[in-house]
Amino acid sequence: MDVKRVKDYLYWLYYQYQLVTCSYVLEPWEQSMFHTITVTVLAMVVYTAYVFVPIHVRLALEFFSQIFGSQPERAV
């Protein structure tokens, strides 16, 4: 892999991020605050998804397996 191409691609992604969020028109200190808040919110969303989504998926699977999966066994 060419390091220069990867570096150019990362710069292009950052430029696209700035265009989409319109953060290129902010002052440097405002950009820093905006990026800090954005990264913090993104980190909280990822952490919350990592902690709580598996629990809810497991509970949903247990709930639906009780409804659809388990048939009463005959007493022998």
Side-chain angles (χ1 to χ4, degrees), residues 61-73:
L61 288 175
E62 286 179 9
F63 175 75
F64 287 118
S65 69
Q66 286 177 357
I67 292 176
F68 299 116
S70 62
Q71 298 292 328
E73 295 182 17

Side-chain angles (χ1 to χ4, degrees), residues 22-69:
C22 297
S23 64
Y24 63 93
V25 297
L26 300 174
E27 295 289 327
W29 69 271
E30 292 172 331
Q31 280 184 355
S32 131
M33 291 296 291
F34 179 77
H35 297 320
T36 302
I37 292 169
T38 302
V39 168
T40 302
V41 168
L42 183 65
M44 289 189 303
V45 167
V46 167
Y47 174 76
T48 303
Y50 177 75
V51 170
F52 292 112
V53 168
I55 295 169
H56 290 294
V57 168
R58 184 181 54 83
L59 290 175
L61 288 175
E62 286 179 9
F63 175 75
F64 287 118
S65 69
Q66 286 177 357
I67 292 176
F68 299 116

Side-chain angles (χ1 to χ4, degrees), residues 9-30:
Y9 181 67
L10 290 176
Y11 281 133
W12 180 79
L13 282 178
Y14 180 70
Y15 182 68
Q16 292 297 314
Y17 163 74
Q18 283 188 325
L19 287 176
V20 168
T21 59
C22 297
S23 64
Y24 63 93
V25 297
L26 300 174
E27 295 289 327
W29 69 271
E30 292 172 331

Side-chain angles (χ1 to χ4, degrees), residues 1-15:
M1 235 180 163
D2 189 14
V3 176
K4 185 178 183 331
R5 292 181 78 182
V6 172
K7 186 177 171 183
D8 289 341
Y9 181 67
L10 290 176
Y11 281 133
W12 180 79
L13 282 178
Y14 180 70
Y15 182 68

